[in-house]
Amino acid sequence: MARMNMIQALNSAMDVMLERDPGVVVLGEDVGYFGGVFRTTDGLQRKYGEHRVLDSPISELGIVATSIGMAVNGLRPVAEIQFADYIYPGYDQIVSELARLRYRSAGEFYAPVTIRTPCGGGIRGGQTHSQSPEAIFAHICGIKVVIPSNPYDAKGLLIASIEDDDPVIFLEPKRLYNGPFDGDPGKPAVPWSAHPRGEVPEGHYTVPISKAQIVRAGSDVTIIAYGTMVHVAEAAAASLGLDAEIIDVRTIVPLDTGTLCESVRRTGRCLIVHEATRFAGFGAEISATLQEQCFWQLQAPIGRVGGWDTPYPHAFEWEYFPGQKRVAMALEAVMTAS
Amino acid sequence: MANRPRTRLHVPHPPARPGDRADFSYLKLQPAGAQPRPDVRVSAQATLPMATGLVRVLDDEHRAVGAWDPRLEPEVLQGGLRHMLLTRIFDERMQRTQRQGRISFYMRCLGEEAVSVAGAMALRPADMLFPSYRNQGFYMVRGRPLVDLMCQLLSNTRDMCKGRQLPVMYHWREGNIFSISGNLATQFPQAVGWAMAAAIKGEDHVAATWIGEGSSAEGDFHAGMVFAEVYEAPVLLNIVNNQWAISTFQGFAGGERSTFAARGPGYGVAGVRVDGNDFLAVHAVTQWAAERARKGGGPTLIEHVTYRASAHSTSDDPSRYRPKDEYERWPLGDPVERLKQHLIALGEWSEERHAALTKELEEQVGASWREATKFGTLGEGPRLDPDLMFEDVFKEMPEHLALQRDQLRAERS
């Protein structure tokens, strides 16, 4: 086992797959010679050459479209969109093409493309470097959506995504790249080396897509979160001394409804936490599903915490971010309601 | 003050609207044989005269003239005539069928048959074609049984798309013809990616894609051109300039002050403007561009100057936006008639043989239709199982889709 931060774990996943499968290619803006603006592809072009790790023009549309064409011709592209906020020029190619190719051609053509993209805030990125767009991909039929919360899962899920024959949007919470983050920006940064999920095997392994993980077992309340908010939720629950069951969703689509419902039926209370804007956020889908399937076991209305329904503001980043206080207040509401 | 230059907004207008006399004086034409045929390794910039001129081979006396004459064997020309005629007869029959309410929608390629047929014939079977919805000639050239196409149009139990696509949105993996989207121009940069992969794998297959001049206004066109140029991808990028995008004339896509092919050299991509109704010219230019791509010379942008003689689709009525007699006055003639007359001039064809071929193909289309309808039509006969709706969204059906499939079964029971 090695100690890796999330960037190193993702780099290792691509390294492993470039080594194992000659069809795997990595492409994106700044990913080649420079190794990526977050260093995620550092050293890969040197190791595998310019035909396997390609710097691409600044065109998300072109990156997604050429990835589709490459995949149809037998390659397995891993495309990087530099920030999730930049993905929209490629959105039509994702929604109308990548997601539907298998369906519209009745399985004759398909495109196993993985689109990696850093998401989320907490890095002073303002409204164009902080978005969490998982819900707008979750609403599209035919595409899987994955979001890890730690280095071990990041590597295992990325390898699973690359090996998957369906297209995957792979969201990387960039605030977690260098260490777990509990939502308190005033505290000194914690490195992944001190965290158990910072232990990452060097070689090939997978974490299954479509499986949520109970990161902390508990009986008072179920907190459902993903990405950065898994860590914020853990800290918020601990601050209240609650015996909370905390579930890391890990895969948005296809959603592991079974694990979520099983937990909520046991605890009878549930809070859903995500960083994305709340209105029509993915929490709404989870909440509706739980209400349909666990209504008679619920002891309180399901709570939802998210970012405010505004763009992500530069100067008010920590007032916008759903930190421990907002989560704790929502938890108290869920615990006291009856 | 009155003469001070002011900003202005130019709104393009087609030269003629319904009731006006058709006017194609805007088209820059050149006589057959006027364009020299450069070596395939010529620089992209040096292709500008070809991109602004017009490559033509068949002259007004139906002779093949000039450096671009592909010197095809008579059997190849007869094969091309057969494919074009079959495309036309198939189109006519399917149009009628739609009018009878037996299919929901259809799109003809009347007048544009040479673009697809000559283009596909000049490429190799392993080359990948990324079509628009007006390239049915590919299927004739590559030999897909007509019954299969008809079953797709009928969305019946043998529909290759399992009932999921509008009529005409075919695909054929084995025949190397990509799935038609329905969204415009998306295939343009995808073809570039396919070609990049061929080069990465060290294969000498090329990709070719076709869009209309109207959809060349999409961002996909620009992205495709940039990626094609940056990686010098082995790809043929075709713009079928048929003058009309539904009611939008080619001036609204940027055709007023430049040819579409001339955009190529601007990107560093070779450009050729070709008479799209001249089977020989389209064949020759496609072969030239394919050879250039196969020899590492990179992409070529080809503009096919043609005319959309039919309506955009069965849902369109062109008499509301263009003169009725435009096609009769179209200066580049009819592609089927021109190849036929060329073969007759060569002594390799006759009116009798043409009539016999027409009859044979009509019978083939008729027999295929009778066969196809056995597998169901829109209104009658066997129907596809609605369970199929839930398959192929993903490779394996996830739980939520299985539940919805069961819910539909309950609804239908």
Side-chain angles (χ1 to χ4, degrees):
Chain A
M1 281 293 200
R3 294 272 164 192
M4 294 188 198
N5 64 27
M6 200 187 273
I7 291 166
Q8 292 162 332
L10 293 164
N11 183 284
S12 174
M14 286 183 272
D15 192 358
V16 165
M17 289 310 296
L18 283 159
E19 178 80 45
R20 277 169 76 100
D21 181 350
V24 171
V25 291
V26 169
L27 73 159
E29 297 155 17
D30 301 303
V31 304
Y33 181 84
F34 180 54
V37 294
F38 289 104
R39 320 301 311 145
T40 319
T41 53
D42 191 26
L44 296 178
Q45 187 182 74
R46 241 183 350 268
K47 191 167 172 186
Y48 297 99
E50 292 182 322
H51 286 189
R52 303 283 308 283
V53 182
L54 292 95
D55 279 312
S56 75
I58 303 175
S59 167
E60 292 75 19
L61 189 172
I63 291 168
V64 177
T66 51
S67 293
I68 294 169
M70 288 180 188
V72 166
N73 199 356
L75 300 186
R76 212 164 263 276
V78 184
E80 177 179 303
I81 300 296
Q82 199 163 78
F83 285 87
D85 315 67
Y86 301 171
I87 208 163
Y88 308 111
Y91 198 55
D92 180 49
Q93 285 283 346
I94 295 172
V95 173
S96 310
E97 302 294 314
L98 183 58
R100 293 202 209 133
L101 183 57
R102 181 189 293 280
Y103 191 73
R104 77 181 197 218
S105 68
E108 275 192 36
F109 290 100
Y110 63 96
V113 175
T114 301
I115 299 176
R116 296 180 34 246
T117 189
C119 70
I123 63 147
R124 285 269 182 235
Q127 47 94 26
T128 53
H129 301 77
S130 306
Q131 293 167 56
S132 296
E134 66 275 7
I136 63 173
F137 293 106
H139 200 61
I140 304 310
C141 313
I143 199 147
K144 294 179 177 174
V145 183
V146 170
I147 179 166
S149 71
N150 60 69
Y152 181 90
D153 284 355
K155 179 173 173 181
L157 281 167
L158 182 54
I159 291 176
S161 298
I162 296 169
E163 290 179 341
D164 201 292
D165 281 343
D166 289 316
V168 178
I169 303 284
F170 191 91
L171 297 161
E172 302 170 1
K174 55 186 165 301
R175 179 68 208 212
L176 299 183
Y177 272 157
N178 291 304
F181 175 64
D182 71 2
D184 182 352
K187 272 204 244 166
V190 184
W192 278 113
S193 56
H195 194 282
R197 303 293 275 184
E199 271 196 21
V200 179
E202 306 259 13
H204 177 278
Y205 70 94
T206 58
V207 169
I209 291 173
S210 200
K211 286 276 175 246
Q213 188 180 39
I214 299 172
V215 296
R216 183 192 187 281
S219 58
D220 290 345
V221 57
T222 300
I223 307 179
I224 297 170
Y226 48 84
T228 308
M229 300 315 292
V230 171
H231 306 277
V232 179
E234 279 184 293
S239 75
L240 296 178
L242 284 173
D243 183 26
E245 178 141 306
I246 298 171
I247 301 180
D248 180 356
V249 175
R250 299 201 294 196
T251 297
I252 306 286
V253 183
L255 183 64
D256 180 4
T257 311
T259 298
L260 307 186
C261 289
E262 188 278 324
S263 174
V264 172
R265 286 192 194 107
R266 251 189 303 110
T267 63
R269 296 177 194 269
C270 178
L271 180 70
I272 302 159
V273 188
H274 57 56
E275 191 181 335
T277 49
R278 215 179 88 118
F279 185 85
F282 191 65
E285 179 61 37
I286 297 176
S287 176
T289 301
L290 294 171
Q291 184 273 131
E292 284 164 3
Q293 298 194 26
C294 313
F295 184 80
W296 302 106
Q297 286 84 31
L298 284 173
Q299 295 167 42
I302 297 166
R304 271 197 295 155
V305 169
W308 307 124
D309 293 321
T310 70
Y312 215 120
H314 185 246
F316 311 118
E317 181 155 51
W318 299 113
E319 287 86 355
Y320 177 91
F321 185 87
Q324 283 184 38
K325 184 76 184 291
R326 198 178 309 159
V327 176
M329 286 170 73
L331 267 176
E332 282 176 330
V334 167
M335 294 311 297
T336 53
S338 59
Chain B
M1 285 298 280
N3 292 329
R4 191 168 61 97
R6 290 184 302 139
T7 61
R8 64 187 189 97
L9 182 74
H10 169 68
V11 179
H13 290 281
R17 285 295 195 188
D20 299 338
R21 191 181 157 79
D23 176 9
F24 289 110
S25 59
Y26 68 87
L27 273 181
K28 280 174 42 186
L29 301 178
Q30 274 190 315
Q35 278 292 335
R37 184 185 186 277
D39 184 83
V40 295
R41 298 301 299 264
V42 67
S43 78
Q45 273 66 31
T47 62
L48 192 61
M50 287 198 295
T52 53
L54 189 67
V55 173
R56 302 177 75 183
V57 173
L58 289 172
D59 71 7
D60 293 342
E61 273 74 53
H62 311 298
R63 291 172 308 201
V65 298
W68 282 95
D69 176 7
R71 301 175 188 281
L72 300 173
E73 296 296 322
E75 297 75 43
V76 176
L77 298 178
Q78 287 159 357
L81 185 65
R82 169 182 278 266
H83 295 316
M84 288 202 290
L85 199 55
L86 178 58
T87 304
R88 181 166 294 186
I89 290 167
F90 179 82
D91 268 3
E92 280 167 8
R93 178 66 189 252
M94 293 306 103
Q95 170 85 7
R96 258 199 340 263
T97 300
Q98 193 278 339
R99 289 294 182 241
Q100 293 161 355
R102 306 193 68 186
I103 60 176
S104 64
F105 176 81
Y106 194 69
M107 306 179 93
R108 282 187 292 170
C109 65
L110 181 65
E112 302 176 35
E113 291 89 348
V115 171
S116 299
V117 170
M121 285 179 72
L123 293 168
R124 299 178 186 167
D127 295 334
M128 186 74 182
L129 313 182
F130 287 77
S132 82
Y133 44 65
R134 225 181 288 283
N135 290 123
Q136 42 268 55
F138 297 162
Y139 284 89
M140 311 304 163
V141 174
R142 293 201 168 176
R144 183 81 189 229
L146 299 185
V147 175
D148 293 351
L149 304 181
M150 290 166 169
C151 287
Q152 194 280 336
L153 298 171
L154 286 159
S155 290
N156 70 12
T157 54
R158 281 260 305 262
D159 174 9
M160 63 175 82
C161 300
K162 298 189 183 166
R164 295 165 187 160
Q165 282 266 60
L166 267 182
V168 184
M169 309 297 157
Y170 315 113
H171 63 262
W172 192 16
R173 169 114 213 159
E174 201 188 323
N176 291 315
I177 307 179
F178 190 62
S179 154
I180 299 169
S181 168
N183 275 24
L184 295 180
T186 49
Q187 73 275 18
F188 201 79
Q190 290 166 1
V192 177
W194 194 99
M196 288 168 66
I200 287 170
K201 294 194 286 183
E203 297 167 351
D204 71 348
H205 311 313
V206 304
T209 184
W210 288 258
I211 58 172
E213 90 287 351
S215 63
S216 75
E218 295 282 4
D220 302 71
F221 171 80
H222 173 67
M225 292 301 287
V226 170
F227 277 68
E229 190 272 328
V230 165
Y231 300 106
E232 296 186 44
V235 62
L236 281 66
L237 302 158
N238 295 276
I239 297 179
V240 183
N241 179 2
N242 64 10
Q243 315 305 314
W244 291 97
I246 306 186
S247 76
T248 305
F249 89 112
Q250 52 88 33
F252 261 100
E256 283 192 307
R257 277 165 294 277
S258 174
T259 68
F260 290 90
R263 294 178 184 179
Y267 280 98
V269 170
V272 187
R273 184 167 173 261
V274 63
D275 176 349
N277 289 12
D278 179 340
F279 179 91
L280 294 176
V282 173
H283 194 288
V285 165
T286 305
Q287 213 168 43
W288 184 89
E291 189 188 341
R292 177 180 173 85
R294 266 188 253 281
K295 288 181 172 171
T300 303
L301 180 71
I302 303 169
E303 175 185 352
H304 301 259
V305 181
T306 183
Y307 184 81
R308 195 196 76 210
S310 65
H312 165 70
S313 71
T314 48
S315 307
D316 176 40
D317 174 11
S319 72
R320 298 178 61 156
Y321 52 77
R322 67 182 189 186
K324 275 205 167 101
D325 64 343
E326 257 195 358
Y327 189 46
E328 290 151 39
R329 298 180 184 280
W330 172 246
L332 296 175
D334 177 89
V336 174
E337 187 61 22
R338 284 172 70 190
L339 183 58
K340 174 187 158 192
Q341 292 303 334
H342 174 59
L343 275 164
I344 289 173
L346 289 176
E348 299 287 348
W349 201 243
S350 66
E351 290 293 351
E352 293 71 33
R353 289 178 75 180
H354 197 81
L357 177 63
T358 303
K359 187 159 177 289
E360 177 200 328
L361 297 177
E362 280 170 350
E363 281 165 10
Q364 184 192 344
V365 169
S368 299
W369 178 252
R370 287 189 292 280
E371 172 76 7
T373 51
K374 285 184 197 158
F375 303 102
T377 67
L378 263 188
E380 49 202 70
R383 262 198 86 203
L384 281 168
D385 182 351
D387 271 9
L388 288 169
M389 193 183 333
F390 301 98
E391 290 178 8
D392 301 319
V393 179
F394 295 99
K395 186 178 183 185
E396 281 151 32
M397 192 182 298
E399 191 190 333
H400 71 283
L401 286 177
L403 287 168
Q404 291 177 13
R405 181 198 56 200
D406 295 345
Q407 202 182 333
L408 177 64
R409 283 180 185 167
E411 247 177 62
R412 299 178 68 241
S413 68

